[in-house]
């Protein structure tokens, strides 16, 4: 199992959950944590329930940042076994905020 063979499938799930929870939203500090929690929860749930990624353990982190004229840079990497493990990071934005999500997948 090579992570690269599954990366596109992971990213499709991520985009689906981002659109489900964030599309059309305006930044609201009171709701931001709930949005982050919902996207991460639903990504992990969908990955496991799909059956497509059997053998992988996944970890997912996300960050939401209100657009306020400041910059943000970050990177993520994991590689327990470079032959089969990996990660993918998706950046999504609208006019009000940026959303970054990183999914790590490692073989059981």
């Amino acid at each position: 199992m090579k992570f690269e063979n599954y990366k596109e499938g992971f990213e499709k799930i991520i985009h689906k959950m981002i659109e489900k929870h964030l599309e059309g939203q305006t930044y609201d500090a009171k709701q931001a944590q709930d949005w982050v929690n919902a996207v991460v929860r639903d990504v992990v749930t969908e990955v496991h329930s799909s059956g497509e990624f059997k053998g992988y353990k996944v970890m997912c982190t996300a960050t939401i940042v209100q657009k306020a004229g400041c910059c943000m840079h970050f990177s993520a990497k994991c590689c327990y076994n470079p032959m089969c493990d990996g990660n993918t990071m998706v950046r999504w934005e609208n006019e009000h905020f940026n959303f970054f999500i990183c999914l790590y997948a490692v073989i059981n």
Side-chain angles (χ1 to χ4, degrees):
M1 294 178 78
K2 279 192 77 100
F3 175 79
E4 290 303 315
N5 297 337
Y6 297 92
K7 185 175 180 177
E8 186 178 325
F10 286 125
E11 289 175 351
K12 283 182 182 178
I13 290 172
I14 291 169
H15 283 287
K16 177 181 168 185
M17 296 309 158
I18 288 172
E19 290 171 10
K20 174 182 174 182
H21 293 286
L22 302 180
E23 192 71 42
Q25 299 288 359
T26 301
Y27 184 81
D28 180 345
K30 292 179 182 175
Q31 290 185 307
Q33 187 65 55
D34 292 336
W35 295 335
V36 170
N37 292 343
V39 173
V40 167
R41 178 196 64 231
D42 286 358
V43 165
V44 171
T45 300
E46 180 78 12
V47 164
H48 285 290
S49 67
S50 75
E52 183 180 345
F53 310 102
K54 286 185 180 176
Y56 275 105
K57 291 190 280 186
V58 297
M59 294 135 290
C60 195
T61 63
T63 303
I64 192 169
V65 180
Q66 182 179 16
K67 286 187 176 178
C70 60
C71 295
M72 181 175 177
H73 306 273
F74 79 89
S75 178
K77 182 71 177 151
C78 79
C79 203
Y80 297 108
N81 180 343
M83 297 303 295
C84 53
D85 302 337
N87 71 303
T88 186
M89 186 168 61
V90 173
R91 177 178 180 253
W92 181 89
E93 68 178 298
N94 66 17
E95 63 184 272
H96 306 286
F97 57 89
N98 289 299
F99 185 79
F100 304 88
I101 186 165
C102 188
L103 180 135
Y104 304 90
V106 295
I107 292 293
N108 273 332

